[in-house]
């Protein structure tokens, strides 16, 4: 009698025709991101495959790089922003203190979504449209 065979599912591997899409978004005054592979040939990225990922907080390097390539960056000038600006940048980007100091000194090249969230947090804007609590 033949031995039963076992089906093994290997992780997805994108082909040369796969396209990587990446987004950043603001959800409830928090930075979020999504990434997806799409292909018309190998079905990578089709529903129920490993072609999608998402999360909250700063985007992984490959996702942020794709957003920068597609949308560019905005120079966020933090000089004169005081403590609210530092808190906003720290909350949105999670920068270590040395990078935060450099961002205050030189400005920070943010994606448009990062810049918008920093602006909202500095000015006290919230998703509900009310002033942020002190």
């Amino acid at each position: 009698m033949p031995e039963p065979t076992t089906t093994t599912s290997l992780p997805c591997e994108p082909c040369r025709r796969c396209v990587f899409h990446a987004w950043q978004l603001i959800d409830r005054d928090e930075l979020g991101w999504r990434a997806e592979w799409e292909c018309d040939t190998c079905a990578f990225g089709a529903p129920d495959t490993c072609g999608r990922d998402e999360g909250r907080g700063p985007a992984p390097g490959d996702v942020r790089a794709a957003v920068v390539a597609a949308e560019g960056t905005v120079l966020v000038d933090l000089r004169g922003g005081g403590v609210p600006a530092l808190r906003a940048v720290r909350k949105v980007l999670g920068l270590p203190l040395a990078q935060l100091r450099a961002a205050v000194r030189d400005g920070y090249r943010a994606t448009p979504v990062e810049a918008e969230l920093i602006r909202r947090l500095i000015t006290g804007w919230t998703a509900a449209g009310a002033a942020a609590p002190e």
Side-chain angles (χ1 to χ4, degrees):
M1 189 163 183
E3 296 225 0
T5 59
T6 305
T7 306
T8 304
S9 179
L10 299 175
C12 300
E13 293 283 338
C15 75
R16 291 181 188 195
R17 292 182 53 135
C18 288
V19 178
F20 182 64
H21 302 282
W23 303 268
Q24 283 183 310
L25 53 113
I26 299 171
D27 183 22
R28 297 187 183 114
D29 297 332
E30 263 190 292
L31 191 62
W33 57 271
R34 290 188 183 135
E36 180 178 284
W37 285 97
E38 178 181 45
C39 185
D40 61 356
T41 303
C42 70
F44 189 77
D48 302 323
T49 69
C50 60
R52 296 185 184 159
D53 201 7
E54 62 184 5
R56 293 177 120 16
D62 61 335
V63 173
R64 190 173 191 280
V67 171
V68 168
E71 300 176 15
T73 60
V74 177
L75 182 62
V76 177
D77 185 358
L78 301 170
R79 292 173 297 171
V83 173
L86 297 178
R87 283 186 184 149
V89 170
R90 183 90 168 177
K91 177 179 175 167
V92 172
L93 304 170
L95 295 179
L97 191 53
Q99 285 183 328
L100 187 58
R101 284 186 186 131
V104 170
R105 183 186 64 235
D106 305 328
Y108 182 79
R109 287 268 164 208
T111 65
V113 171
E114 292 166 346
E116 175 62 17
L117 182 54
I118 290 167
R119 183 194 66 78
R120 289 181 185 186
L121 293 173
I122 289 171
T123 61
W125 187 92
T126 65
E134 293 293 319

